Amino acid sequence: MKLSNVAPSAARLTFSLRDIGYDFVSAVAYLIDNSGSAGATDVAVEIEFAGPDSVVYIADNGCG
């Protein structure tokens, strides 16, 4: 079986978390907390503010 390198969809994850009761801030906190659970020693958060087209990037060096 050939595996593809597909980037995860942050939008889908955020909507999924919202559907189970997380607001945006809680969802971001959850993702950062998950970085620690994955063994990350570095977590980077970048925010590009552009009104309704704003983007938040979260990256870590954890496994998974």
Side-chain angles (χ1 to χ4, degrees), residues 3-26:
L3 298 177
S4 299
N5 185 8
V6 178
S9 170
R12 275 186 272 162
L13 177 59
T14 301
F15 286 121
S16 296
L17 291 170
R18 184 189 65 194
D19 289 344
I20 59 173
Y22 288 92
D23 61 6
F24 177 75
V25 173
S26 297

Side-chain angles (χ1 to χ4, degrees), residues 13-52:
L13 177 59
T14 301
F15 286 121
S16 296
L17 291 170
R18 184 189 65 194
D19 289 344
I20 59 173
Y22 288 92
D23 61 6
F24 177 75
V25 173
S26 297
V28 171
Y30 172 84
L31 293 172
I32 293 170
D33 183 60
N34 188 60
S35 296
S37 297
T41 56
D42 292 310
V43 179
V45 179
E46 182 179 332
I47 301 169
E48 292 182 5
F49 184 75

